[in-house]
Amino acid sequence: MSRTTQVLAFSVPPTVAKEVATLARTERRTKSELFREMVRVYGRYRAQREVDDQRWVLNLIAEAKAEAAANPMSVAEMLKENDRLARYGERQAKKLGIKPRDINRIVHEYRRERKP
């Protein structure tokens, strides 16, 4: 008969080990039960954080659209803003050591990481 669980081994600082032992004792659970619950809670936390991030982005887009509708920019203003943002991007890339040849790779890596 095969085992239905898998043993994991990892190290933590002594203070964390003590805290885990105290929590397990206080809640009358094993450390394994406590760990499984922590993983479930963290999974829910991550899912909620993703929802909150998406909500924040959607609100930001809505605010930007409202701002654009209330204060439309002329073509000259848009070109000026585009130049300003391009210069800013160049400065940031230079600070980070990013070369033009690196940009496509960085964008693709970022998008690959963001896929569920």
Side-chain angles (χ1 to χ4, degrees):
M1 183 188 235
S2 65
R3 190 179 175 119
T4 60
T5 61
Q6 185 175 355
V7 176
L8 297 178
F10 50 88
S11 60
V12 295
T15 55
V16 173
K18 242 175 131 170
E19 188 175 358
V20 169
T22 301
L23 281 169
R25 199 170 34 257
T26 302
E27 296 195 9
R28 298 189 191 310
R29 297 169 128 186
T30 66
K31 292 175 195 171
S32 293
E33 290 171 326
L34 190 61
F35 181 76
R36 286 190 292 271
E37 179 66 15
M38 286 188 284
V39 170
R40 281 191 295 274
V41 168
Y42 182 71
R44 288 194 303 267
Y45 163 77
R46 291 248 344 218
Q48 184 60 48
R49 189 177 64 191
E50 184 67 29
V51 168
D52 291 344
D53 287 350
Q54 289 174 356
R55 188 177 301 132
W56 179 81
V57 169
L58 292 174
N59 285 339
L60 187 62
I61 291 169
E63 289 174 16
K65 285 181 178 180
E67 171 71 21
N71 302 306
M73 294 173 79
S74 68
V75 172
E77 289 171 323
M78 283 191 263
L79 290 172
K80 185 178 177 182
E81 180 68 1
N82 186 58
D83 289 342
R84 185 187 72 77
L85 291 171
R87 285 192 306 277
Y88 172 78
E90 287 172 3
R91 287 192 307 273
Q92 293 303 107
K94 188 174 182 178
K95 281 182 193 175
L96 296 170
I98 297 171
K99 305 280 187 252
R101 68 177 180 270
D102 300 327
I103 293 172
N104 281 338
R105 177 185 51 79
I106 292 169
V107 168
H108 289 297
E109 286 173 1
Y110 176 78
R111 287 178 179 166
R112 189 171 32 251
E113 290 171 7
R114 296 286 297 168
K115 283 187 179 177

